[in-house]
Amino acid sequence: MAARADDRSWLDAAAALAIRARPASAPNPAVAAIIVRDRIVLGRGWTAAGGRPHAEAAALAQAGGAARGATMYVTLEPCAHRSERGPSCADITARAGLARVVVGCTDPDPRTNGKGIARLRDAGITVDVLEHHASRASLAGFLTREEKQRPHVTLKLAVSADGFIGPTSGEPVTITGEVARAHVHRQRALAEAIVVGGATLRNDNPRLDVRLPGLEGRSPKRFVLTRGQAPHGWGRLAGPQDIAGLCPMQYCYVEGGGATAEAFLNAGLVDELHIYCAPLRLGSGIPAYGNLGLAAEGAPPPGFSRVDRRRIGGDTLSIYRPH
């Protein structure tokens, strides 16, 4: 059966719902599922903390018997492997009597890859696979870990309008406004690891925790990029390539400074670049990308394309991904 006009809209909704699972679902992927009949939502679910129950099981439990004959929209192919914690999602879904399942992204895990879809079709369920962009984006950490054997890396920088991250003295300075800083705390809450360079640690003594009401317990594990010793309670990365050792973590948030940004960019290990640009000008200071240059007006280094731009309070957030 060909994809229907509203399939992508329902998968968009499921991809947005999946954010609720991140990063608490680790080491499992953050998946979401929505069960629909006649444009009425019968059940929805996302991967629970610790990985169980899976999104499909949660959505089916909410829908109950009404799931029979309905359509499930799920961001990731239902898993085909049974574990000591319960049956596979493909088996649970196959027994539910659904008429159709629309999958946003196939699962690269060899234990499932294609097998989950085949099991559903063998049960007489119509399965459409859309390879849906928003589903893949919601699974970026899982897909990066499976395909590249490392976490997905977001590099964040707060820059002045003329492209500096601070004065050359290294003295801490507040660049962005309160709303942008709160947004950064939300991004921290979505990561499992957070990284700064040794100079940033020495000069700023950053807490790198999450200070949003209700999310204080979601602070990521802290790492410093240095060839020296890490302080008590911190992990150490001798170089950007060491992030491979953070697996099975899926999301790593890098907060600079300039030398650390340069190191990750040179290593080709930046999957997403977040530039918070404030309207103030410093005139001189530390270039955002170290020896690679400035981020004037939030501009990226070569090789990146902008995928989003929005106002965050009085500042501007630009999001870039590699070409």
Side-chain angles (χ1 to χ4, degrees), residues 66-238:
R68 186 166 296 276
T71 296
M72 174 187 284
Y73 295 90
V74 61
T75 53
L76 182 68
E77 175 184 3
C79 65
H81 54 282
R82 180 184 178 89
S83 76
E84 59 186 22
R85 300 173 69 184
S88 72
C89 290
D91 288 336
I92 293 172
T93 304
R95 293 196 295 263
L98 291 159
R100 183 169 177 250
V101 174
V102 181
V103 175
C105 178
T106 53
D107 189 342
D109 186 330
R111 297 174 298 175
T112 288
N113 195 348
K115 300 182 183 72
I117 292 168
R119 197 167 300 174
L120 296 180
R121 287 175 174 157
D122 288 345
I125 298 172
T126 298
V127 181
D128 290 313
V129 184
L130 299 193
E131 292 300 341
H132 176 247
H133 176 76
S135 292
R136 288 191 64 85
S138 74
L139 291 158
F142 169 70
L143 296 175
T144 303
R145 188 186 70 188
E146 291 296 307
E147 296 166 1
K148 299 183 180 180
Q149 291 74 56
R150 63 167 177 81
H152 180 276
V153 174
T154 296
L155 171 62
K156 166 261 171 180
L157 293 167
V159 305
S160 62
D162 45 0
F164 300 103
I165 60 172
T168 52
S169 64
E171 180 181 340
V173 61
T174 300
I175 292 180
T176 53
E178 183 177 346
V179 178
R181 293 196 298 275
H183 192 266
V184 169
H185 281 257
R186 178 181 177 274
Q187 298 305 113
R188 289 177 180 176
L190 296 174
E192 295 150 89
I194 188 166
V195 179
V196 294
T200 298
L201 179 61
R202 290 188 298 273
N203 294 331
D204 296 357
N205 191 27
R207 290 162 58 182
L208 301 182
D209 56 356
V210 177
R211 297 189 291 278
L212 294 176
L215 294 178
E216 295 90 348
R218 296 272 291 271
S219 297
K221 182 172 175 55
R222 298 176 297 178
F223 291 85
V224 58
L225 185 69
T226 180
R227 297 195 177 277
Q229 294 296 313
H232 178 72
W234 289 64
R236 183 181 76 93
L237 302 177

Side-chain angles (χ1 to χ4, degrees), residues 9 13 44 83 104 150 166 255:
S9 295
R44 59 180 191 155
S83 76
R150 63 167 177 81
E255 287 211 27

Side-chain angles (χ1 to χ4, degrees), residues 2-40:
R4 299 170 184 171
D6 57 356
D7 284 348
R8 291 190 179 276
S9 295
W10 285 114
L11 277 177
D12 285 344
L17 189 65
I19 198 72
R20 299 191 181 192
R22 176 182 160 193
S25 68
N28 285 17
V31 179
I34 299 176
I35 299 172
V36 178
R37 182 194 286 119
D38 299 328
R39 299 189 61 80
I40 296 173

